[in-house]
Amino acid sequence: MLELKNLSYTINEGENEKKILDNISLTIGDNEFVAITGPNGSGKSTLAKIIAGIINPTEGNIFFEGSDITKASITDRAKMGISYAFQQPVHFKGIKVRELISLAAGTKLKVAQLREYLSRVGLDVNQYMNRQVDSTLSGGELKRIELATIFARNGKILLFDEPEAGIDLWSFQSLIQTFEKLKEKENCCVIIISHQEKIINAADRVILLSEGRIDKPYVMER
């Protein structure tokens, strides 16, 4: 489904160049649950943003379902079914939770449908569906709501950057079960950037990044 070929990403630091990603090649198939981990500064979030189309690689190509999408915008990739949950969720002033999740789903959702998506992230539909998605919500609440929108999008690639942030232990265990169920959908894979041991243990495959490269001895199959 998703193939990364010789991806590199370089930034300028004064007169010098710094390579954040160095010749990454990786294939992720349908119905896989893949965890990408590694120390801070290893390039994990940069790789996620390149897959989502937020930034473009300096070198290399990205193929999705056989087509080269290296230069496709984040909007175009979203239309293809590539969904991305930010590490730091954004505010949507003037829009209610129920409206945001309905927009993600592409249809006006009934209360029972909203309950399904919100319950996956440990939120009560009656308390949250009419809340404004603004600064009155905590960072953890915004994170949960963003995760609910990703679930509602019904995408083909679901990409999460440290989804455990702001999630309590009970909801976190429920979240892992949701990830495991999502990969069972036809033509769908789940990619998670995380340090969390429980997510890493639940994944089908664990990929360790170190200094912008895949540390090949630690690409572990389950």
Side-chain angles (χ1 to χ4, degrees):
M1 173 184 281
L2 180 70
E3 184 178 8
L4 313 180
K5 277 193 172 182
N6 307 116
L7 283 186
S8 293
Y9 183 70
T10 303
I11 60 172
N12 293 319
E13 289 190 339
E15 297 181 355
N16 300 315
E17 289 187 341
K18 181 179 180 180
K19 188 159 278 190
I20 306 299
L21 294 176
D22 187 5
N23 198 34
I24 298 289
S25 292
L26 178 65
T27 299
I28 299 174
D30 295 341
N31 306 105
E32 270 202 284
F33 176 178
V34 176
I36 299 176
T37 192
N40 291 335
S42 60
K44 303 184 302 298
S45 291
T46 299
L47 181 60
K49 289 175 182 176
I50 286 176
I51 294 172
I54 297 169
I55 57 178
N56 294 319
T58 308
E59 300 174 48
N61 297 86
I62 305 170
F63 295 89
F64 177 56
E65 295 185 329
S67 298
D68 190 334
I69 64 166
T70 309
K71 296 183 179 180
S73 68
I74 186 172
T75 302
D76 289 338
R77 294 188 201 199
K79 291 177 181 177
M80 296 173 195
I82 300 174
S83 297
Y84 175 69
F86 289 86
Q87 188 173 2
Q88 297 295 328
V90 295
H91 295 72
F92 294 90
K93 189 176 180 180
I95 189 170
K96 295 180 178 179
V97 170
R98 67 185 306 166
E99 295 168 338
L100 182 63
I101 298 176
S102 290
L103 282 171
T107 186
K108 186 175 181 179
L109 298 176
K110 296 179 179 179
V111 174
Q113 293 169 303
L114 288 166
R115 179 179 291 109
E116 177 189 350
Y117 294 126
L118 289 171
S119 65
R120 290 182 182 181
V121 294
L123 296 180
D124 181 84
V125 67
N126 295 318
Q127 292 183 29
Y128 283 91
M129 68 178 179
N130 290 316
R131 291 281 300 274
Q132 296 282 333
V133 187
D134 57 19
S135 58
T136 63
L137 294 167
S138 69
E141 288 171 325
L142 286 168
K143 183 75 171 182
R144 292 168 188 245
I145 290 164
E146 184 186 34
L147 291 174
T149 66
I150 297 297
F151 298 146
R153 281 182 197 146
N154 198 32
K156 296 180 180 179
I157 293 180
L158 305 180
L159 182 58
F160 302 90
D161 195 349
E162 297 192 12
E164 63 269 21
I167 304 293
D168 61 71
L169 185 60
W170 182 88
S171 298
F172 179 63
Q173 190 57 45
S174 178
L175 198 60
I176 291 176
Q177 292 172 0
T178 297
F179 292 144
E180 291 173 329
K181 289 178 182 177
L182 284 171
K183 70 155 190 171
E184 296 172 3
K185 290 168 44 184
E186 186 177 1
N187 299 325
C188 177
C189 70
V190 177
I191 304 171
I192 301 180
I193 310 297
S194 182
H195 296 286
Q196 227 293 333
E197 184 177 358
K198 288 186 177 180
I199 287 179
I200 292 170
N201 289 338
D204 299 319
R205 187 154 48 121
V206 181
I207 296 165
L208 176 63
L209 285 186
S210 177
E211 297 182 345
R213 297 182 179 182
I214 293 177
D215 201 335
K216 293 189 182 298
Y218 293 93
V219 178
M220 298 178 288
E221 303 282 350
R222 299 297 184 196

